[in-house]
Amino acid sequence: MWSYLQSHLDQPEQFSVAQLRANTSWLEPYSATLNWNETDYQVQQLFSSGISPIIEIGEGTDHSLPTVSDEFNSTSGVADPGTVGMEQYLAYMYRYSRAVVHRYKQDVTIWQIENELNDAYLEALSGIRSPASLIPQDSPWGNFTFVTEIIQTLYMAVKDEDSTLWTTQNLLADTPEDVYSISGIPMYYLDALYTWSPLLDIVSFDVYANYYVAYPIYSDVFVRIIKDIQNVTGTKPIMVAETGVHVMNEETLKQVSVKAVNCTPIAQGEFLGEIVPVVKAAGAMGFQVFKLAETTGYEGASGGYTNQDIKFLQAVTDSIVGNSIQPLLKWAASLRDIRYILDGRAFEVAFAPTTVSYGILDGNGNPTAGFDAL
């Protein structure tokens, strides 16, 4: 991420992608200004273990961008496309990404360009990216032409450095298609893929079909997505870039009596044990789990899970699995007491899992059933 290497911008700059590509005398002097300590350490740790990493470049979430000084008159405080301007944003992204590829190209073959970019507008609405707007046309992230230019710019940063390197993009595939149509944005993963496929040597996707429930295991969702991608891209390699199942902490599990939300390390292992051979048989050539990290599990909703909680979580899951928001709307229409939503219970239940509860190592760093399944 850009912020790892350059945490702050003091002054606005003016240069273009075309200028950077025409004369690369800037590359070494610019690289010398970046802080490579952490990335060098992480990459070398992987190399020493015999692992060639897939490095991501160009992510535009707020936490991945440098902070900016008051000179930028920024409302977000970071170097987002609203702060620096869309054209200058592309130039910044090309410059830093080209420097990263230049540094590690001898040992890194596959480069992920951006992260779940087809979901960028919805991420902006949720506060992950800036700026946000309820009207897609008023947001850089809702502008499909600009978002495509980001992919093109990052592709050039990789291929200009070494045309034999491979690019990929992890498309988010579990947001229901009608969410995009309702929003009026052409960024459903298959719609985006029709345009972006020539820029991707490997097509990657992220899907969390079992995000809210441990059982049943929805392996058929992976098969459907792989087949849909094959229909668009033909024989291009496909990889599952992200998937996983949450683990609850021990105290929460003591209150769980319903199998659907019995999110134990054993359930996590059963999920991975089933999914890996399924996606391989469907034609995927790579698989990554989110994530190889320690976790003690997440704390569930207060008071344990009620029947209404289970119905809500299943409705959300059915929307993900069925690729339509209709199951969630039907659940909402069937509510006898709207206070379930108004009082925040639905919000509490939905946001109990966190990104730190996916780990396949326990709190002491020991392998769990999920690790063993892989």
Side-chain angles (χ1 to χ4, degrees), residues 20-21 23-31 94-95 98-99:
L20 294 172
R21 298 185 74 202
N23 183 350
T24 59
S25 61
W26 56 269
L27 185 53
E28 293 295 343
Y30 172 70
S31 295
Y94 181 90
R95 183 175 68 173
R98 180 77 183 269

Side-chain angles (χ1 to χ4, degrees), residues 248-327:
M248 290 179 177
N249 64 29
E250 292 182 3
E251 288 303 312
T252 298
L253 287 171
K254 291 177 182 178
Q255 304 177 59
V256 172
S257 58
V258 180
K259 183 177 182 180
V261 291
N262 192 32
C263 299
T264 65
I266 297 297
Q268 185 186 62
E270 290 176 348
F271 170 82
L272 293 173
E274 177 172 326
I275 294 299
V276 173
V278 165
V279 300
K280 183 178 180 180
M285 301 179 69
F287 185 91
Q288 296 182 135
V289 65
F290 192 84
K291 56 188 177 176
L292 182 60
E294 298 178 7
T295 185
T296 57
Y298 71 90
E299 182 178 352
S302 58
Y305 285 86
T306 66
N307 288 335
Q308 186 59 267
D309 294 335
I310 304 300
K311 290 178 181 179
F312 167 60
L313 293 176
Q314 190 60 58
V316 177
T317 300
D318 290 345
S319 290
I320 295 171
V321 171
N323 195 29
S324 171
I325 200 173
Q326 291 304 315

